[in-house]
Amino acid sequence: MIILVINSCRSSLKCSLYEMPDDRCLAECAVERIGEGKAALSFEGAGRSWEEPSSAETHAEALDALLRCLSSSEGGGLEDLGEIAAVGHRVVHGGEKISESLAVDQEVIEVIRDNSALAPLHNPPNLTGLQAASERLPGALQVAVFDTAFHASMPPRAYLYALPQELYTKYHVRRYGFHGTSHRYVAERAAEVLSMCREACNLITVHLGNGCSAAAVRGGRCVDTTMGLTPLEGLVMGTRCGDVDPALPFFLSENLGMSPKESYALLNRRSGIAGLSGVSNDMREVIAAAGTGNGWAERALDVFCYRVKKYIGAYWAVLGTVDGVVFTAGIGENSPEVRRRACEGLEPLGLCLDERRNLEAVGCEAVISTPDSRTAALVVPTDEALKIAMDTYEVYLRESGSTVTE
């Protein structure tokens, strides 16, 4: 069975084609810089890859270009777009009403639209991609896979803010969490690597990329996470500040004359390791600059890793027993230096990093703790597109009443 996975963002649209239930990726393609007058299409699959300019000015035009690519003999090789049985869509925010991946109907569309205020940069383009796919692939089941769904299992003590209760009861102001599809995928894979039953495995999953978050996972269910009402809360990120004093925007307003919009831009786009280091939002460049004696780059690296370690310790207290600490995403999978600093000093809790294993684990799945470490440290490359394909396949079987694919 063929499943198409779509990730529709503000200025890009990415597609991955899977054969299920074999979990086999047939092709990946994307159109970047949509509407900027310099769009580009890239393709990789069947031993071929290329990039070329694209005339796409809208997400609908981008999807048309990608579907042509996937159905061409030089691209994905689909004989007919009718071969696509289902389309899985990444949707960032499902609010409180969504706790699982669902076939798209009008009610699901309304939930995505209603939560656009909480994810204004993500939900609207997610919905645009969904609507474009529904029009172009009317015979395929459309499935929405929500980033927030994995965190729906958090108890009130973890998701409530200490604010007047009507802000929650009337306006749903609470911690939602993000990167849920990634956390769920790596938690499930880590349990397999550790040869443990998912329901008996306690993990701290650490997603470190340009966006960063950590989650406490007890028995396969999230019980706490670092991101909050928006993706700004929690760990230090590429350009986002993470946790700061909530009074900071008022300080910026009173002392620097910043408007709310300007403060929002500063905290989201001009902060993080980019703002603190003055170098870049790319951790590789920050580490290189720190290595040449750049003091602010070293401070940014130190703050970034300290915050990760602090949340690992906090979630250790939440879980009580931790079977594994799992690093994933661009930095987590590829930076031995960040992992070393984040795990340094955790030996009394039972986590002992193996220096050689850690250095060798770059972009690959590995256990990086010592053989006698009571708690394992792991690197598990995330694969959100595959997880979306797996969820889409399961929803397709449920909706069609099937137990096996054709």
Side-chain angles (χ1 to χ4, degrees), residues 123-138:
N123 272 32
N126 295 163
L127 189 57
T128 297
L130 194 159
Q131 292 169 331
S134 298
E135 294 170 359
R136 285 151 181 79
L137 300 168

Side-chain angles (χ1 to χ4, degrees), residues 146-151 177-185 213 384:
F146 295 84
D147 278 4
T148 52
F150 181 59
H151 305 302
F178 301 90
H179 294 150
T181 305
S182 174
H183 285 290
R184 182 159 58 103
Y185 176 82
S213 63
E384 293 171 277

Side-chain angles (χ1 to χ4, degrees), residues 97-302:
K97 293 184 178 180
I98 303 292
S99 59
E100 61 180 340
S101 300
L102 295 170
V104 175
D105 57 17
Q106 191 56 41
E107 184 177 355
V108 171
I109 289 173
E110 290 303 320
V111 168
I112 298 171
R113 185 175 290 119
D114 290 346
N115 284 287
S116 290
L118 296 175
L121 301 180
H122 298 91
N123 272 32
N126 295 163
L127 189 57
T128 297
L130 194 159
Q131 292 169 331
S134 298
E135 294 170 359
R136 285 151 181 79
L137 300 168
L141 178 71
Q142 307 293 323
V143 176
V145 179
F146 295 84
D147 278 4
T148 52
F150 181 59
H151 305 302
S153 54
M154 287 193 296
R157 65 187 178 195
Y159 69 68
L160 286 176
Y161 292 116
L163 296 168
Q165 60 185 252
E166 60 267 22
L167 287 177
Y168 171 69
T169 57
K170 292 183 179 180
Y171 304 105
H172 311 293
V173 174
R174 51 160 287 180
R175 177 178 287 106
Y176 287 98
F178 301 90
H179 294 150
T181 305
S182 174
H183 285 290
R184 182 159 58 103
Y185 176 82
V186 300
E188 292 174 0
R189 180 59 195 150
E192 293 175 0
V193 172
L194 295 174
S195 299
M196 295 186 67
C197 172
R198 190 183 308 167
E199 289 73 19
C201 191
N202 287 357
L203 299 166
I204 299 170
T205 52
V206 187
H207 178 112
L208 302 178
N210 193 49
C212 300
S213 63
V217 183
R218 176 182 289 122
R221 294 168 61 84
C222 177
V223 295
D224 204 347
T225 191
T226 54
M227 284 181 167
L229 175 70
T230 75
L232 185 60
E233 187 179 357
L235 302 177
V236 175
M237 307 178 216
T239 64
R240 298 182 191 129
C241 60
D243 293 341
V244 293
D245 188 327
L248 178 59
F250 302 100
F251 175 89
L252 296 175
S253 174
E254 293 176 6
N255 292 276
L256 282 75
M258 283 191 176
S259 67
K261 186 175 181 179
E262 289 171 329
S263 293
Y264 183 86
L266 182 146
L267 299 176
N268 277 278
R269 302 190 184 97
R270 294 167 49 201
S271 299
I273 59 170
L276 188 56
S277 71
V279 174
S280 173
N281 68 327
D282 189 321
M283 180 58 78
R284 294 167 295 187
E285 296 181 19
V286 173
I287 291 174
T292 64
N294 184 315
W296 280 107
E298 172 59 33
R299 293 184 186 99
L301 176 59
D302 197 31

Side-chain angles (χ1 to χ4, degrees), residues 36-98:
E36 298 178 11
K38 50 181 178 181
L41 185 151
S42 60
F43 173 88
E44 183 173 351
R48 299 183 295 271
S49 63
W50 72 80
E51 292 187 13
E52 61 186 27
S54 173
S55 60
E57 290 295 321
T58 66
H59 287 74
E61 291 175 357
L63 182 57
D64 285 336
L66 295 177
L67 291 175
R68 285 195 298 270
C69 180
L70 292 172
S71 58
S72 69
S73 58
E74 297 82 13
L78 285 176
E79 294 183 5
D80 190 316
L81 291 177
E83 293 181 60
I84 299 173
V87 183
H89 298 267
R90 181 207 179 199
V91 181
V92 166
H93 215 306
E96 289 194 295
K97 293 184 178 180
I98 303 292

